[in-house]
Amino acid sequence: MAEVRLDGLIKYYDDVLAVDDVNLTIKDGDFVALLGPSGCGKTTTLNLIAGLIDLSDGEIWIGDRDVTDLDPKDRDIAMVFQNYALYPTKTVYNNLAFPLQMRKTPKNAIDERVRKTAEMLSITHLLDRLPRELSGGQQQRVALGRALVRNPRAFLMDEPLSNLDAKLRVQMRAELKRFHQTLNATMIYVTHDQLEAMTMADNIAVMSDGRVQQYGPPEEIFYDPANLFVAGFIGSPAMNFLHGEISTENGVTSVKGDPGWVYPLTPANAQKASHCTSGRIIIGARPANLILSREEHPGMIPGSVYTVEPTGDTTFVHITIGDQIYVAITDPFFRAEPDDPIWVDLEDDRIHIFDEATEEVLREDGLNSQSIHGKKTLQPA
Amino acid sequence: MAVSAPQQATGQVATRNRREPKNVFQRAYRQWADYTYIMPALLAMFFVIAYPIAYTIYLSFYSTPTAGENVWNGLTNYTSIITAERFWMITQNTMYWTIVSTILAFIIGTAAALVAQREFIGRGLVRGIFLIPWVISHVATAYIWVWIFHSDYGLVSGMLMDLGIISSPLVILDSTTWAMPALILVNVWKDFPFIMIMMLAGLQTVPEHLLRAAKIDGASTWAQFRHVTLPHLKGVIIITLLLTIVMNLNHFTLPWIMTGGGPASSTHIWITEVYALAFRSLRFGIASAFSVILFIIMMSMAYFYVKAMTAGDDRRR
Ligand SMILES: Nc1ncnc2c1ncn2[C@@H]1O[C@H](COP(=O)(O)OP(=O)(O)OP(=O)(O)O)[C@@H](O)[C@H]1O
Ligand SMILES: [Mg+2]
């Protein structure tokens, strides 16, 4: 296993800039998820690492080797494809054996490896079947097996679970995580499913528009988003964003919301807001950090109930403030009628302050260490 | 009552159609719409094909003197064809012509497809040039090559003489040894674009992700071809081979125009022989019997063709 380093990767498809200056170091033995919405360049990045497509600029290092100009077969990586890409005319056994045969492994060693891998994945009874005689989940295992059968320097996986049903996905997620832990393998895992990324990865690289927006452990991505995109992309239901203007009266800094509300900031949050250059900020508050009240209290934001969705464990309350709808998570027994007046308070030490102009998070010390501008190789924190 | 009504409805749907058909008639009935669509074609084929076939089979049991009534003579036409040494000589010619033409055209056509599929500057031009033999009509092709091979005025003979490689004009189409190879050469030249097109079409459908998987798994270019491309093309290859074999077995224009079966019948193949028997010697009975024999051979090829075309259908059902 080895460290993988991406240095200023750029990929143009004709005029389309698919990957825009990606710098990442994936530590030896790390499970890194490339997470982002559809079309953000995850697959392209993975294919660049694999050597399946040519890059426009940048360097790729695997371990202490510069593999930028090497063929895929010389990079010593294994890959699991979204649609499995099993060889349709080969039996499961031969699918697993193929990467070893291509590397001129002796026959009995191949047999041993194939059987061991099949056992690990519980597919021994399927070895004589053709891929089309397997269920989706079984094909997925075989595809995984074809990667695990070798000892590559890194595993690349492109949404390997996306074709499975919800239940199987949860099960395979746990299995994958176990494999990673037992093999101590370097894995780069592409997904657009934040739950997969959050549950499995040691570090997550959140991508958007071909750029890495933030790179760090799941907790950091969730609790300390670097910018508006990461804040809005991670978490379900999504974070609420309240836009407003900063104003200071009698030494108290408040945010004047667009539809006429005023929300006073704590000294710590005021300190963050003081770094704002444009005078307008966005307050980011996760649904769980909204506190609802039926009575008016000073410093709360007035709104009205839009609808109430009980989900069992919790209840989602949609609230209209001005012309925007926000979501709060409340206790499971909260009930209200549409258009009931309601007041919203925020958990002040859990909210995030963003500069409306730059969409970057504002911190107390004014520094945003995770801001990804400039050519700098990101090390996970 | 309110509850039982929808139950009845679902029950009807279940009994109407979702059960495996018990026999071929039930299955045919279920597919009546499909049969309706092909009915016009079937009717047309009946009149232009079935009737002539029936008449040919009828004639094959008769002696057909040029003057007078047809006379029933049972299987005599058949036995006289099969027992004649000439039939086996011509069968040998036909096999030679068909097998060598097919193999050469297949190899060259496939190679051309692999070249034409690669991305390089001028690919469109190369593809266009490769297609030229295919778009020239058979008759024109035949006459062009007759002139190229002509011993006194021909390109081949003339060039070799000019270069001093040979001293006397080269006899090609009038040589019992060289006439057939020359015909085969022209046939291959004419047919390889067809195979190229078929193989190109097949090559376009090779799944990119399988090639990528093979690359990752360490396969060389040859191994990718051998383990991904070739298995994927198996169906196309079988069908192309069968079509080419049938095309060659039935090929009339080139041999008839270029050599007319000669010299000394060395380029006569089944189909030219049938034509000569019928329309030169006017021996319609014998020619009909010969046709029926060919018909049986061709239909057995068609059986394999249909089998190859519908391979895998049962699995899907
Ligand atoms: N072969 C190609 N030619 C041209 N543009 C491409 C090609 N492949 C991808 N793109 C473009 O590059 C961008 C990134 O595509 P990519 O496949 O990497 O996205 P992705 O993040 O993997 O998305 P998804 O989650 O939908 O798989 C997209 O805008 C896409 O349209
Ligand atoms: Mg993708």
Side-chain angles (χ1 to χ4, degrees):
Chain A
M1 288 298 149
E3 177 181 278
V4 175
R5 206 174 83 226
L6 313 180
D7 219 348
L9 292 196
I10 291 181
K11 173 65 187 177
Y12 280 96
Y13 290 111
D14 298 323
D15 289 342
V16 183
L17 180 55
V19 170
D20 180 8
D21 192 22
V22 165
N23 298 279
L24 283 178
T25 300
I26 293 116
K27 285 189 290 194
D28 190 359
D30 235 15
F31 190 132
V32 166
L34 295 184
L35 175 64
S38 190
C40 71
K42 308 179 296 285
T43 298
T44 306
T45 306
L46 204 68
N47 286 343
L48 287 173
I49 302 172
L52 291 172
I53 52 179
D54 296 332
L55 39 69
S56 310
D57 199 10
E59 277 181 13
I60 300 166
W61 289 72
I62 298 178
D64 47 10
R65 285 197 307 163
D66 178 356
V67 301
T68 314
D69 296 317
L70 294 186
D71 280 342
K73 67 174 164 38
D74 302 321
R75 296 192 181 195
D76 198 13
I77 35 112
M79 192 157 171
V80 180
F81 295 82
Q82 177 170 356
N83 45 16
Y84 314 138
L86 300 177
Y87 306 117
T89 51
K90 292 184 187 296
T91 59
V92 170
Y93 184 97
N94 284 326
N95 264 282
L96 294 184
F98 189 69
L100 300 173
Q101 288 163 349
M102 288 301 115
R103 288 181 166 76
K104 310 255 181 309
T105 315
K107 246 199 164 104
N108 45 356
I110 292 181
D111 192 62
E112 192 183 316
R113 285 293 304 166
V114 168
R115 291 193 187 281
K116 217 176 117 197
T117 309
E119 206 158 299
M120 187 163 71
L121 291 161
S122 335
I123 50 172
T124 307
H125 61 295
L126 305 174
L127 283 176
D128 294 328
R129 294 213 203 157
L130 289 174
R132 66 159 175 267
E133 296 163 346
L134 303 178
S135 72
Q138 291 167 335
Q139 291 185 30
Q140 209 281 330
R141 277 158 199 270
V142 178
L144 201 58
R146 193 173 57 184
L148 296 175
V149 80
R150 287 194 298 128
N151 257 328
R153 295 161 77 84
F155 289 102
L156 309 180
M157 308 197 177
D158 190 358
E159 314 213 19
L161 306 186
S162 62
N163 286 353
L164 303 182
D165 65 45
K167 199 173 152 201
L168 206 52
R169 197 149 55 204
V170 172
Q171 183 192 338
M172 286 305 299
R173 212 164 65 196
E175 283 188 24
L176 263 179
K177 188 164 182 172
R178 262 194 80 83
F179 280 133
H180 170 248
Q181 283 160 347
T182 46
L183 298 171
N184 208 8
T186 309
M187 286 194 180
I188 305 175
Y189 186 100
V190 163
T191 179
H192 63 258
D193 179 347
Q194 48 171 303
L195 199 60
E196 275 179 22
M198 298 292 282
T199 50
M200 289 193 287
D202 299 317
N203 284 292
I204 298 176
V206 182
M207 288 186 74
S208 152
D209 290 336
R211 294 184 142 252
V212 176
Q213 302 292 330
Q214 187 170 358
Y215 184 38
E219 312 80 60
E220 186 192 294
I221 301 274
F222 187 82
Y223 290 110
D224 193 11
N227 57 37
L228 204 65
F229 174 80
V230 177
F233 187 70
I234 305 287
S236 174
M239 191 185 278
N240 298 297
F241 295 123
L242 297 110
H243 295 247
E245 199 172 319
I246 312 168
S247 73
T248 308
E249 277 165 41
N250 313 326
V252 177
T253 306
S254 328
V255 181
K256 275 202 173 124
D258 295 337
W261 48 265
V262 176
Y263 187 77
L265 295 179
T266 58
N269 285 332
Q271 170 69 20
K272 292 177 190 169
S274 69
H275 297 292
C276 177
T277 48
S278 61
R280 289 186 59 83
I281 62 165
I282 301 167
I283 299 175
R286 297 211 179 272
N289 304 134
L290 265 54
I291 304 156
L292 303 185
S293 167
R294 301 245 185 209
E295 285 122 43
E296 179 165 13
H297 294 281
M300 286 195 179
I301 301 165
S304 62
V305 172
Y306 181 74
T307 183
V308 177
E309 297 177 333
T311 66
D313 281 349
T314 57
T315 294
F316 296 165
V317 184
H318 298 251
I319 302 152
T320 314
I321 300 174
D323 55 358
Q324 297 278 16
I325 294 178
Y326 299 94
V327 183
I329 297 180
T330 63
D331 72 272
F333 305 107
F334 181 95
R335 293 292 178 272
E337 293 300 315
D339 298 329
D340 280 0
I342 199 135
W343 284 265
V344 180
D345 197 5
L346 307 174
E347 286 185 55
D348 291 308
D349 51 351
R350 290 296 188 80
I351 63 177
H352 309 270
I353 311 279
F354 302 93
D355 188 331
E356 193 181 65
T358 63
E359 301 195 344
E360 297 287 318
V361 78
L362 297 170
R363 298 181 203 278
E364 275 179 77
D365 57 8
L367 301 172
N368 185 354
S369 60
Q370 283 287 353
S371 178
I372 315 297
H373 296 120
K375 255 196 161 183
K376 179 179 71 160
T377 301
L378 281 176
Q379 294 277 359
Chain B
M1 282 312 283
V3 182
S4 68
Q7 268 177 355
Q8 255 175 18
T10 48
Q12 265 176 9
V13 172
T15 49
R16 208 186 97 227
N17 233 343
R18 288 307 109 201
R19 227 169 276 228
E20 291 252 319
K22 282 198 190 57
N23 56 43
V24 70
F25 294 108
Q26 274 188 11
R27 208 151 88 188
Y29 172 70
R30 191 173 287 181
Q31 293 162 343
W32 65 270
D34 304 348
Y35 289 104
T36 314
Y37 297 140
I38 57 169
M39 194 47 81
L42 281 181
L43 282 177
M45 283 178 72
F46 178 80
F47 286 111
V48 300
I49 296 176
Y51 172 73
I53 288 175
Y55 188 63
T56 304
I57 293 171
Y58 161 84
L59 271 187
S60 72
F61 297 109
Y62 285 81
S63 149
T64 56
T66 34
E69 290 284 295
N70 293 344
V71 185
W72 169 265
N73 66 354
L75 289 176
T76 320
N77 287 340
Y78 289 95
T79 49
S80 66
I81 290 169
I82 296 184
T83 51
E85 205 172 301
R86 183 177 168 81
F87 174 77
W88 297 106
M89 195 252 315
I90 283 170
T91 300
Q92 214 176 339
N93 287 347
T94 310
M95 292 300 133
Y96 180 23
W97 154 265
T98 302
I99 292 169
V100 177
S101 293
T102 304
I103 290 175
L104 286 182
F106 189 79
I107 292 171
I108 294 170
T110 305
L114 288 172
V115 170
Q117 198 230 5
R118 285 171 161 263
E119 293 203 15
F120 59 90
I121 298 163
R123 174 171 77 164
L125 188 70
V126 170
R127 282 190 185 188
I129 290 172
F130 279 165
L131 281 179
I132 289 175
W134 199 48
V135 297
I136 300 176
S137 81
H138 276 104
V139 177
T141 305
Y143 281 113
I144 292 169
W145 283 91
V146 166
W147 279 106
I148 291 175
F149 286 141
H150 196 283
S151 46
D152 295 329
Y153 319 106
L155 206 61
V156 176
S157 197
M159 266 198 333
L160 292 178
M161 289 242 284
D162 284 350
L163 290 172
I165 296 171
I166 51 172
S167 51
S168 55
L170 204 61
V171 178
I172 302 171
L173 292 180
D174 291 325
S175 142
T176 49
T177 322
W178 293 110
M180 187 59 110
L183 283 189
I184 288 174
L185 175 82
V186 178
N187 193 28
V188 168
W189 181 83
K190 181 91 183 84
D191 274 355
F192 89 87
F194 167 73
I195 287 156
M196 179 184 83
I197 289 170
M198 295 291 283
M199 296 301 278
L200 258 181
L203 283 171
Q204 321 271 297
T205 67
V206 175
E208 178 67 26
H209 61 263
L210 288 184
L211 291 172
R212 291 185 160 187
K215 276 182 203 156
I216 299 270
D217 285 342
S220 60
T221 310
W222 165 247
Q224 287 167 41
F225 181 74
R226 156 99 179 62
H227 291 278
V228 176
T229 310
L230 214 52
H232 182 80
L233 292 181
K234 199 174 128 197
V236 175
I237 290 173
I238 291 175
I239 284 169
T240 307
L241 278 177
L242 276 166
L243 282 177
T244 312
I245 288 172
V246 171
M247 218 155 64
N248 285 330
L249 282 175
N250 276 325
H251 200 116
F252 176 74
T253 322
L254 286 183
W256 188 253
I257 293 181
M258 289 181 68
T259 60
S265 295
S266 65
T267 59
H268 251 313
I269 58 177
W270 287 338
I271 204 83
T272 54
E273 175 76 356
V274 171
Y275 184 86
L277 281 172
F279 301 109
R280 281 227 175 129
S281 319
L282 301 180
R283 299 168 67 191
F284 290 107
I286 290 272
S288 294
F290 211 129
S291 299
V292 171
I293 294 173
L294 296 195
F295 179 71
I296 291 166
I297 295 169
M298 297 301 167
M299 284 315 282
S300 52
M301 301 291 302
Y303 168 79
F304 289 112
Y305 176 74
V306 171
K307 210 171 142 178
M309 285 283 279
T310 55
D313 271 11
D314 289 338
R315 283 228 195 215
R316 252 176 271 137
R317 186 169 283 132

